[in-house]
């Protein structure tokens, strides 16, 4: 409560992320930062054509020190192409060229990998329900992100875990690229 509104947006017709405070607007995507996700301890984001996850501590963000991002995780599945849209139970899914990774971000800046699903590319996790069911999509992976992303399908079961995704993805009805 009482904090300024912040918009982290990304749409097909106008990709990017903006920091808006009072009458000042900063295009964070001009600095290479996209898909910014708020956490309890600050913000995490990916950079275009990069395999790193970046962190901006909450006190730096609130002070408007937007040049203070630093790398906290290196993706084992190549360039990070998409971040899950929100942190759920301290976990965040990362979609990359060669698979999916789940990380624990409860102790930022320390990030721990909690799971990995290897695949030939194209699958991405958009989010998950409160019950643990994943919204998974598929698109054409590019160095900067995905093209032609299909509508998401829900995979998993109530109380499901990231580790259960691999066989479900293999059985999914997505067309491959």
């Amino acid at each position: 409560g009482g904090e300024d509104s912040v918009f982290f947006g990304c749409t097909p017709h106008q990709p990017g992320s903006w920091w808006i405070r009072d009458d000042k607007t900063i295009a964070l995507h001009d600095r290479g930062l996209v898909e910014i996700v708020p956490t309890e301890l600050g913000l995490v984001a990916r950079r275009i054509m990069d395999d790193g996850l970046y962190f901006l501590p909450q006190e730096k963000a609130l002070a408007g020190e937007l040049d203070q991002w630093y790398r906290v995780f290196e993706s084992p599945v190549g360039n990070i192409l998409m971040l899950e849209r929100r942190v759920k139970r301290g976990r965040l899914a990362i979609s990359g060229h060669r698979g999916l990774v789940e990380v624990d971000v409860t102790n930022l800046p320390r990030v721990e990998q909690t799971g990995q699903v290897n695949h030939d590319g194209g699958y991405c996790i958009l989010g998950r329900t409160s019950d643990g069911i994943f919204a998974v999509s598929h698109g054409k992976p590019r160095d900067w992100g995905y093209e032609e992303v299909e509508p998401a399908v829900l995979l998993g079961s109530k109380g499901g875990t990231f580790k259960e995704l691999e066989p479900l993805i293999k059985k999914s009805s997505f067309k491959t690229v």
Side-chain angles (χ1 to χ4, degrees):
E3 227 5 86
D4 295 320
S5 295
V6 177
F7 172 68
F8 303 119
C10 191
T11 63
H13 65 279
Q14 193 168 1
S17 295
W18 297 265
W19 181 269
I20 301 172
R21 189 171 199 167
D22 300 324
D23 59 351
K24 184 178 181 182
T25 300
I26 299 170
L28 295 173
H29 54 274
D30 286 346
R31 300 170 187 206
L33 296 160
V34 293
E35 297 182 5
I36 296 167
V37 179
T39 74
E40 289 186 18
L41 299 173
L43 305 172
V44 293
R46 72 177 184 95
R47 288 188 186 273
I48 296 172
M49 298 184 358
D50 192 317
D51 65 355
L53 181 67
Y54 292 83
F55 174 60
L56 180 66
Q58 182 179 27
E59 61 275 4
K60 300 286 186 187
L62 293 175
E65 297 175 20
L66 304 179
D67 291 325
Q68 302 296 315
W69 294 85
Y70 60 97
R71 189 180 182 115
V72 292
F73 183 75
E74 182 177 330
S75 166
V77 293
N79 284 355
I80 296 175
L81 305 179
M82 183 178 287
L83 295 178
E84 184 175 5
R85 300 302 187 229
R86 68 179 176 154
V87 173
K88 196 71 182 159
R89 295 187 185 119
R91 305 292 170 94
L92 179 71
I94 295 172
S95 304
H97 268 288
R98 298 182 308 276
L100 307 168
V101 174
E102 183 183 58
V103 294
D104 183 329
V105 294
T106 56
N107 295 310
L108 284 163
R110 193 177 98 228
V111 175
E112 292 184 45
Q113 182 174 326
T114 57
Q116 184 170 333
V117 174
N118 296 311
H119 60 74
D120 292 336
Y123 294 99
C124 49
I125 296 176
L126 306 178
R128 64 186 96 189
T129 67
S130 298
D131 294 337
I133 300 170
F134 291 86
V136 179
S137 187
H138 190 270
K140 290 183 179 179
R142 302 293 185 235
D143 287 340
W144 48 267
Y146 293 97
E147 285 184 332
E148 300 178 29
V149 176
E150 297 178 43
V153 297
L154 296 176
L155 295 179
S157 58
K158 190 173 182 176
T161 66
F162 184 84
K163 293 176 183 166
E164 297 171 9
L165 275 179
E166 191 162 16
L168 296 173
I169 286 173
K170 288 180 180 177
K171 292 179 188 176
S172 72
S173 61
F174 290 112
K175 51 187 175 181
T176 57
V177 289

